[in-house]
Amino acid sequence: MSAIEEAKPPLSTEGSENTDIHADRRDALLSEYLLPDDSYINGVYWADLPNGERQAWINQSSNAEARRELGNIGRSFKEDPINPLSHYFGKYVQNGMGLFVEGYTLFSIGNLSPLFSAVWPSCWKTHKTCNVLWIDAVTYLEICGIIIGQIAVGIEGDWIGRKFGLVQDAAVMLLGVILLTSVWGTTLNGWVIGYAWSLFIYGVGVGGEYPMTSTRALETGVNGPAGTRDDRMHRGRNVVLAFLMQGWGQVFNQVILILLFVIFHAGKTTAPYNEKFAQYTYRVSFGIVAILHTWLLYHRIYHIKDADTAVKKAKKRLNTSGYDRQSLNLIMGHYWHRLIASAIGWFANDFFFYGNKIFAGVFIGIIKPGASLFVTWEFNLINIAVSLCGYYMAALLIDHKSYGRKTMQQVGFFFDFLLFLFGAIFFKELQKPGAPIAGLQAMYYLSSFFNQFGPNCTSFLVAAEIFPASIRATAHGVSAATGKLGALAPTILYNYIGNQTKFWVVPWFGLLGAMVTWAFLPDTTGLDLREQERYWACVRAGRPEDYHGIAVHRRHLSWYEIHVLHRDRHYDAELDKEAKIDELRVLYESWAIAQRDESGDSDDVDHAFISPDIVKYFESEKDLPKRIKTQQNKEAALQSQGHELHLRSKLEETMRV
């Protein structure tokens, strides 16, 4: 006899008193699982409430959650004043540390370029001693490296695992920053060539950080009801607070450069600058961040343990291993419009974001004619501080069900469109001394604020969460790579057009982004990502019409999905409830088998959902022992036929009577 056949019954056949539980009381046992109070009121999904009731419930729910969190912070502070800060660093800073070091390093590249031009004008400005193609390659190779990293590591993250991608990124970035710190050449042109290729290598590591950091922050390591509640209530905040570490990296870089400027320039803040000053400032600034890169690699090797939980669970549910090519093909067919939304939205955003950085000198030159390098860095520091305010505002409202990701992205794009259109129309007037200059300055800072409190944060988030886990990193990497093409475009274009023309070019990308967002981007605010996985399992099986849950609710679909594809027509709360109970029953049987049978799926993280109330509910079913025995026999039969059971007791075959 097999181990399954010899196993003892996981639960006693006695206990008939449980079968007499009143129907209402019995249904209440599953309410926490089926109808969590952060998404349902009196059994009704929040998005199904009438407008007035829905808004009142959203405000009440958000305020209650804010009070709960503030109360937890207060109690934690009383216990130990360092505890809240430790929690913030442990949950958000560590997840975003890769973006912190890349934000520092890449922002430093832009800050150091005018210093190099001032100290070595024959190389960086007039190009008499250096090849102009290699000077341009400093920017192009950096972006090419990032694009390669985004696509390659995105695929690796779904294929080999998230932790592999995280460790690889840290190792490649460490190698790159060591090269940036130490690169040398017998001629200036030779040094520029080495500098450009060092940036390419570093860029590959940076590119991989995008899909890896996003999926790492998105896929919480907490399993069971607590983890899914955090996913529904705070998923966007978890990702944005990790992402904004990029902004803190830029702040840290600018502060370090200003301090090094004062130290190595004998306290002076004006030109001329000598080569020794430039070499010390440049190399020490990179050397400092190399220390943080070393810590990052150590931390990811030895202290990240749960990065692959979500992708492994998704692959087991879909009964697949390796790279999920079927889901990749389905993405191109079933979700091509979502890929358009995330990729083109990111392209439009990066045209703004990097374009704004490139002609920051235009703004500063108008606001402060003849500004020295030191003054330019001071303006940069103010602008980054304003951007950080935008990051934190995004984190505050990105999970609010009345605002959320989609509205935030549309509003951000629209404000950037208006601000730059205003700048284009009144370009000459804004250059006159007096009040108009203040208006241009306000426009410069507001464009940075709404870029962060808008598409820069949301594009990083939605490119991961609108796709299923088994292909999430790949989709994010492709979207981010498309975005980097948006960063490359103004880098090339701005060499051939005048300042006012730049203002005329930029606004239309804001309008493009707003339109693509409106038409193709679904609003996943408040959506339980487990529902997306349930829907994707039906899509993958060729039966999307069998799914009736909230993933196809109008609230969580795009305009295109509702009005062209009509995917909302399959939404049915009652049918979905029945399907969830059937799925939960199979999960319970899997858990019950695992409790008493070593051949059971004891490592299934979804067993964390089996609460005492759920056990009590299914124990009350009269035919439970028979069902479990049938389940065991099905598994034994499948095993005897040579089937590889990636997810024992939950395969689609075992659910058929």
Side-chain angles (χ1 to χ4, degrees):
M1 295 179 70
S2 69
I4 290 180
E5 291 171 328
E6 294 176 344
K8 297 178 181 179
L11 293 171
S12 173
T13 58
E14 299 178 359
S16 58
E17 68 276 11
N18 289 334
T19 64
D20 297 328
I21 298 176
H22 191 275
D24 290 342
R25 287 178 54 203
R26 190 166 178 268
D27 288 345
L29 294 173
L30 297 186
S31 62
E32 183 180 351
Y33 181 85
L34 297 177
L35 308 169
D37 60 6
D38 58 83
S39 298
Y40 290 83
I41 178 171
N42 298 325
V44 179
Y45 188 54
W46 67 270
D48 285 326
L49 295 170
N51 287 337
E53 291 181 36
R54 180 169 66 242
Q55 190 58 53
W57 181 85
I58 288 172
N59 292 336
Q60 180 183 0
S61 176
S62 297
N63 293 339
E65 179 66 9
R67 286 192 297 270
R68 186 189 70 82
E69 290 199 303
L70 289 173
N72 288 342
I73 292 172
R75 287 187 291 274
S76 179
F77 183 84
K78 287 180 180 178
E79 182 181 326
D80 185 339
I82 300 298
N83 278 349
L85 195 61
S86 298
H87 175 77
Y88 182 89
F89 269 77
K91 187 169 185 179
Y92 306 119
V93 174
Q94 287 183 7
N95 277 346
M97 204 61 192
L99 292 174
F100 176 90
V101 294
E102 70 90 359
Y104 176 105
T105 306
L106 295 189
F107 195 67
S108 190
I109 301 300
N111 279 328
L112 289 171
S113 292
L115 176 62
F116 293 162
S117 295
V119 175
W120 295 289
S122 63
C123 175
W124 288 83
K125 188 178 290 185
T126 62
H127 311 126
K128 291 180 179 178
T129 57
C130 298
N131 190 320
V132 64
L133 295 178
W134 279 110
I135 296 295
D136 292 339
V138 169
T139 299
Y140 301 151
L141 282 176
E142 172 196 322
I143 294 177
C144 288
I146 293 173
I147 291 173
I148 291 171
Q150 286 167 333
I151 296 175
V153 181
I155 294 172
E156 287 177 353
D158 287 329
W159 180 18
I160 304 173
R162 314 292 199 229
K163 180 168 181 175
F164 178 87
L166 287 165
V167 172
Q168 177 182 269
D169 290 341
V172 173
M173 287 195 297
L174 177 59
L175 173 63
V177 80
I178 290 173
L179 291 173
L180 284 170
T181 306
S182 58
V183 67
W184 201 264
T186 55
T187 64
L188 276 176
N189 195 58
W191 168 62
V192 169
I193 294 171
Y195 185 69
W197 282 113
S198 300
L199 264 178
F200 173 80
I201 293 171
Y202 189 80
V204 173
V206 169
E209 276 302 298
Y210 283 77
M212 290 301 95
T213 297
S214 180
T215 53
R216 168 67 177 159
L218 189 75
E219 298 166 351
T220 175
V222 179
N223 298 306
T228 55
R229 187 182 192 281
D230 184 69
D231 173 72
R232 291 187 297 266
M233 299 288 287
H234 306 300
R235 181 173 65 245
R237 185 181 70 183
N238 293 341
V239 174
V240 171
L241 287 179
F243 180 59
L244 65 76
M245 290 303 298
Q246 184 183 67
W248 278 114
Q250 294 172 358
V251 169
F252 189 58
N253 169 255
Q254 194 63 81
V255 170
I256 290 295
L257 283 177
I258 288 173
L259 290 175
L260 293 176
F261 190 108
V262 174
I263 292 169
F264 295 126
H265 200 44
K268 296 183 291 184
T269 61
T270 56
Y273 316 116
N274 59 51
E275 292 186 8
K276 184 178 180 181
F277 156 69
Q279 289 281 4
Y280 273 116
T281 300
Y282 141 60
R283 296 187 189 276
V284 172
S285 68
F286 283 139
I288 289 171
V289 81
I291 298 171
L292 293 177
H293 280 82
T294 304
W295 173 86
L296 180 67
L297 179 60
Y298 156 79
H299 174 75
R300 288 183 173 178
I301 292 174
Y302 293 104
H303 292 281
I304 290 183
K305 307 293 185 183
D306 59 355
D308 296 325
T309 301
V311 70
K312 285 181 178 178
K313 184 167 70 173
K315 288 182 178 182
K316 289 176 73 176
R317 182 184 295 108
L318 299 173
N319 197 31
T320 187
S321 60
Y323 192 71
D324 189 2
R325 291 185 179 86
Q326 183 182 351
S327 287
L328 179 63
N329 293 334
L330 281 171
I331 286 288
M332 301 304 179
H334 192 81
Y335 272 161
W336 66 267
H337 39 87
R338 292 194 176 192
L339 198 58
I340 290 290
S342 60
I344 301 302
W346 206 325
F347 178 92
N349 168 69
D350 272 19
F351 199 100
F352 261 115
F353 184 67
Y354 285 90
N356 199 3
K357 281 187 175 183
I358 290 169
F359 65 84
V362 176
F363 280 106
I364 296 170
I366 295 172
I367 295 167
K368 194 83 172 178
S372 66
L373 177 61
F374 190 86
V375 171
T376 300
W377 284 357
E378 287 179 324
F379 271 103
N380 284 346
L381 186 58
I382 296 170
N383 190 49
I384 305 164
V386 172
S387 295
L388 268 178
C389 294
Y391 278 114
Y392 278 104
M393 280 297 294
L396 182 66
L397 292 177
I398 201 161
D399 289 307
H400 196 284
K401 294 179 176 67
S402 294
Y403 198 65
R405 302 99 157 96
K406 184 168 184 175
T407 300
M408 186 180 294
Q409 183 157 309
Q410 286 178 295
V411 170
F413 271 131
F414 188 68
F415 267 96
D416 279 339
F417 165 70
L418 290 180
L419 287 167
F420 279 91
L421 186 63
F422 178 83
I425 295 171
F426 300 103
F427 182 78
K428 293 181 180 179
E429 288 80 358
L430 289 170
Q431 296 183 69
K432 296 176 181 177
I437 291 292
L440 183 65
Q441 190 169 355
M443 191 192 86
Y444 175 50
Y445 293 139
L446 281 172
S447 67
S448 296
F449 175 83
F450 278 106
N451 186 253
Q452 305 304 339
F453 182 41
N456 199 45
C457 284
T458 55
S459 59
F460 184 80
L461 167 64
V462 300
E465 73 173 356
I466 63 176
F467 299 104
S470 64
I471 208 71
R472 180 172 290 147
T474 301
H476 192 282
V478 170
S479 300
T482 307
K484 275 296 171 284
L485 293 176
L488 184 62
T491 304
I492 299 171
L493 179 63
Y494 288 176
N495 292 322
Y496 303 100
I497 59 177
N499 290 336
Q500 186 171 9
T501 307
K502 293 174 186 176
F503 278 89
W504 277 114
V505 168
V506 168
W508 310 109
F509 287 90
L511 192 59
L512 171 66
M515 292 175 65
V516 167
T517 301
W518 167 76
F520 296 121
L521 184 68
D523 189 357
T524 46
T525 306
L527 175 65
D528 190 334
L529 287 189
R530 290 184 306 155
E531 291 298 314
Q532 189 160 265
E533 298 304 315
R534 290 180 64 224
Y535 174 61
W536 191 248
C538 291
V539 172
R540 210 169 176 276
R543 300 179 288 99
E545 68 280 358
D546 285 356
Y547 176 80
H548 306 288
I550 58 175
V552 292
H553 192 288
R554 292 175 66 91
R555 181 77 183 196
H556 302 303
L557 296 175
S558 67
W559 179 91
Y560 183 81
E561 289 171 319
I562 295 169
H563 296 286
V564 178
L565 301 178
H566 306 292
R567 286 184 179 159
D568 59 313
R569 70 184 184 277
H570 297 303
Y571 174 69
D572 189 312
E574 286 303 315
L575 288 177
D576 187 55
K577 180 181 177 181
E578 294 174 11
K580 278 186 174 180
I581 293 175
D582 286 340
E583 292 167 14
L584 185 58
R585 181 180 290 109
V586 176
L587 177 62
Y588 168 75
E589 291 167 2
S590 166
W591 172 84
I593 293 170
Q595 300 306 298
R596 299 290 295 273
D597 185 353
E598 63 181 11
S599 67
D601 198 11
S602 58
D603 63 341
D604 184 0
V605 294
D606 278 346
H607 287 170
F609 287 101
I610 304 300
S611 66
D613 282 345
I614 290 174
V615 172
K616 190 174 182 180
Y617 178 92
F618 289 113
E619 280 183 343
S620 70
E621 294 186 331
K622 295 179 181 179
D623 62 345
L624 174 67
K626 180 181 177 182
R627 290 183 60 84
I628 291 178
K629 185 63 177 176
T630 301
Q631 190 77 2
Q632 290 175 319
N633 291 337
K634 288 177 180 178
E635 292 176 358
L638 284 171
Q639 286 177 327
S640 67
Q641 294 169 16
H643 286 259
E644 184 180 358
L645 295 181
H646 294 287
L647 187 51
R648 195 172 274 112
S649 298
K650 288 198 290 183
L651 284 175
E652 219 173 288
E653 291 89 339
T654 72
M655 295 180 67
R656 296 173 184 159
V657 178

